[in-house]
Amino acid sequence: MKFYAVVAASPTSWESHKIAERIEQRILNSNPVMEAFGNACTLRNNNSSRFGKFIQLQLNRAQQMTGAAVQTYLLEKTRVACQASSERNFHIFYQICKGASTDERLQWHLPEGAAFSWLPNPERTLEEDCFEVTREAMLHLGIDNPTQNNIFQVLAGLLHLGNIRFADSEDEAQPCQLMGDAKCSIRTSASLLQLPEDPLLETLQIRTIRAGRQQQVFRKPCSRAECDTRRDCLAKLVYARLFDWLVSVINSSICADPDSWTTFIGLLDVYGFESFPNNSLEQLCINYANEKLQQHFVAHYLKAQQEEYTVEGLEWSFVNYQDNQTCLDLIEGSPISICSLINEECRLNRPSSAAQLQTRIERALAGNPCLGHNKLSQEPSFIVVHYAGPVQYHTAGLVEKNKDPVPPELNRLLQQSWDPLLKVLFPTDPEEQPSGQSRAPVLTVVSKFKASLEQLLQVLHSTTPHYIRCIKPNSQGQAHIFLQEQVLSQLEACGLVETIHISAAGFPIRISHQNFVERYELLRRLRARTSSGPHSPSPDERHSEGSLCTEAATLQPLLQDILHTLPALSQAAATLGDPAEATPAPVCCGRTKVFMTDSMLELLEHGRAQVLEQCARCIQRGWRRHWHRKQERQRQAAVLIQAAIRSWLTRKHVQRLHTAATVIKRAWKRWRIGMAFLTSKELDGVEEKYVSPVPLSTGSCLLPQTQSSLLAAIIRLWPLGLVLANASVGVQGFRRKLVVWACLQLPTGSHSSYKVQTAQEQAGITSIRALPQGSIKFHCRKSPLPYADICPEPSPYSVTGFNQILLERHNLGHV
């Protein structure tokens, strides 16, 4: 309603904008009021509509909203006095009990914590229990605060009326007495309804009978059950008149002049299919209405489908589909049906038992296949097989509810009220017929409901209907919870299951040529791979090809190629183990759409999945090949980089070693030259004497010619050789003397003239240089010279100096 109100409100001037805004607000405000007085909490829905509602949004020639009208059907007024287990009364009773202020509670006699028999489950709090929203909506509809208080006062009087309890009378000639606090309840109810207390009690206890030609009046005390029935009838009568008055007030507030609108948009909100443990006349009427609407929907759906096939150039008709006309004949058929039999029982004006009505229905309608009987049921009942499933209806109280009798004394009592609202609801009829004249027969509930339903269907046949199906996933109102049985039952109740059956009988899948080509053009790959020669299409395909539209000529070759792949797909499906798929499924190509069944769609989707799988594998192979090549290139590059880095590191290491060796060599050469200089300087003062050769001692020996290369090396490294020669360990014997000889660079001409003695022999030259008194330390990769300790703690009596020449005690000439 809000969407239509906003879209249709496109004014061209400020004045029309204000008018449209006022109408829109009133239309939207009518909904909370109708829900408060007509909706209730049931076993399946917290905000279930207990009446049918048809809202007519009236539009002018400019498609602007000018007004609206509301029409209601079959209010479930019995809920005022009787509620099923775990269900609630209408929302408005709970709203006034929970939202009234302190002064209003005192005015309406609704103290905190008060218990009412017609107000079950008051502890439950729903979002619909919002009293302020209802009052504000009523105020926008033109119902002022005094009128609102008057309405709520009447509703409070009905609640107190429900607390009146009667006891069985011991004497049938005496009326039933009140039980417990019923006297206080009837006093409070009479005060709120502004009725005289004694006439109210007398009307509930005593029945007035007019008999004879002279219309003699007899007063008969009612039994306890009759007293309860008259009390409930009074409450239902007041509430039904109040509801109808509210609808008339809403219509007078939002309805436009008939000459100001030309078209309308109708919103039909009707009861859903109902099947409770105890079903009576209300459920029979509701399900009867759903049967009529389902038939209208099926006819409209089949007509739309057939028209579409005709437009597309397809020759097809729905031959087999389930029609619910048999069930409608059972309920409303002529001359004999369930409704006619119930109305006949009402016209006979005789006491009717439930078992007798059950027997009449079963005998008169035994040949109808939609009528059944539950042999295990202990109560009289019959079963009607509806389109949504079988429903068992109990015959007890069926005739009385259809009569909906209102005793005349109740109307006369309510006409005596001083309440302004009740005076409007029950006006005094000045043209009341004399008591001696016969009155017109009263219409039954079934007859009035059938007439209103026929009127509604006439409106539906003259419009273009659109359907919205509401499915409730669970009864708790929680998110992401879907109860399979509950959802399935609602789908059946909405008629969607039958719609699916009808759709499956034809071509439920319809795809435009463009979308069909875009989605299934991949199937041409299969044809190129599976068929090598020309392909002869099947008869169905020849029919399809002949009916191809010439509108989109560019799509024709593509459609032909795609349709030619169907036999290959069918053979592939049969090869996989499904022989049923070997026969091509029905497919027809219309002028603008391709029609197919669900099996054909599955076949096409399976072939498309195969092509996509092949393409995916090809892409995967290409990607993996590219990835492996890329990995190999990265590995080779990494190896090359590693080799280059290792080569560079090796070169750097060799360069460092070469630099270190050059430094050591340079330092060694510098040290050797320095030592040679110091030695030559110290030996400058010593006169060399050449002595004639003398025979060598036993410890000496001639130098062999083969040792010339060794002597040359020793001469180049003579300081180190001198150290080794005087070391405590190392070279012994002849090699030691040879080293000393080489280090001293003695002439090799006459070997017998020289005698070399070591320090251990204690003769001759003890040491050509001072013997080191400490240890010699060598450090890796560094020159050993900075780490050489030369006599760390020298003795004052010892001869020190590494470059100092020590002379022997003996004369040099004796050497």
Side-chain angles (χ1 to χ4, degrees), residues 371-447:
L371 180 67
H373 174 63
N374 186 9
K375 298 181 179 180
L376 301 178
S377 177
Q378 298 180 356
E379 299 180 3
S381 61
F382 60 92
I383 297 177
V384 176
V385 182
H386 295 279
Y387 72 93
V391 179
Q392 182 178 2
Y393 299 97
H394 296 278
T395 57
L398 205 61
V399 177
E400 288 75 12
K401 289 183 178 181
N402 189 37
K403 290 180 180 179
D404 193 20
V406 178
E409 52 267 26
L410 291 181
N411 273 322
R412 289 193 294 267
L413 173 66
L414 293 173
Q415 290 173 358
Q416 299 174 9
S417 175
W418 308 306
D419 187 82
L421 180 60
L422 291 181
K423 285 185 178 182
V424 175
L425 298 181
F426 299 93
T428 303
D429 190 3
E431 299 180 358
E432 186 177 359
Q433 294 179 353
S435 58
Q437 297 181 2
S438 61
R439 294 175 297 178
V442 179
L443 292 176
T444 61
V445 173
V446 170
S447 299

Side-chain angles (χ1 to χ4, degrees), residues 345-356:
E345 287 290 331
C346 296
R347 288 193 299 268
L348 292 176
N349 197 15
R350 65 179 183 183
S352 176
S353 64
Q356 184 179 357

Side-chain angles (χ1 to χ4, degrees), residues 172-236:
E172 295 182 357
Q174 298 296 327
C176 297
Q177 300 299 321
L178 299 176
M179 295 176 58
D181 298 335
K183 188 69 175 177
C184 180
S185 298
I186 198 169
R187 185 184 305 112
T188 305
S189 179
S191 174
L192 292 173
L193 297 176
Q194 296 188 22
L195 293 172
E197 180 180 350
D198 293 338
L200 174 61
L201 180 59
E202 183 180 350
T203 303
L204 297 180
Q205 291 177 330
I206 300 175
R207 180 172 51 139
T208 303
I209 303 175
R210 297 180 181 272
R213 294 183 177 179
Q214 309 192 354
Q215 295 292 315
Q216 295 182 358
V217 178
F218 298 93
R219 298 168 58 87
K220 179 182 179 183
C222 299
S223 63
R224 178 183 176 182
E226 292 176 342
C227 291
D228 292 340
T229 301
R230 295 170 74 87
R231 176 202 61 196
D232 296 346
C233 183
L234 176 63
K236 292 186 291 184

Side-chain angles (χ1 to χ4, degrees), residues 42 47 51 65 88 232 297 355 365 437 568 613 621 696 707 729 769 784 795:
T42 62
N47 193 27
F51 68 102
M65 186 178 299
R88 300 203 320 173
D232 296 346
F297 169 73
L365 303 172
Q437 297 181 2
E613 183 179 0
R621 287 195 298 267
L696 293 176
Q707 302 296 331
V729 293
R769 306 181 68 92
S795 175

Side-chain angles (χ1 to χ4, degrees), residues 641-659 781:
I641 294 173
Q642 289 176 358
I645 292 177
R646 288 171 182 172
S647 176
W648 179 78
L649 291 176
T650 303
R651 287 196 303 271
K652 295 293 291 183
H653 180 65
V654 171
Q655 289 177 2
R656 286 196 298 270
L657 293 179
H658 180 70
T659 303
R781 297 184 181 179

Side-chain angles (χ1 to χ4, degrees), residues 322-340:
Q322 185 175 358
D323 189 8
N324 62 341
Q325 185 60 43
T326 305
C327 183
L328 288 174
D329 293 339
L330 174 66
I331 298 176
E332 64 170 5
S334 179
I336 300 177
S337 62
I338 294 177
C339 293
S340 63

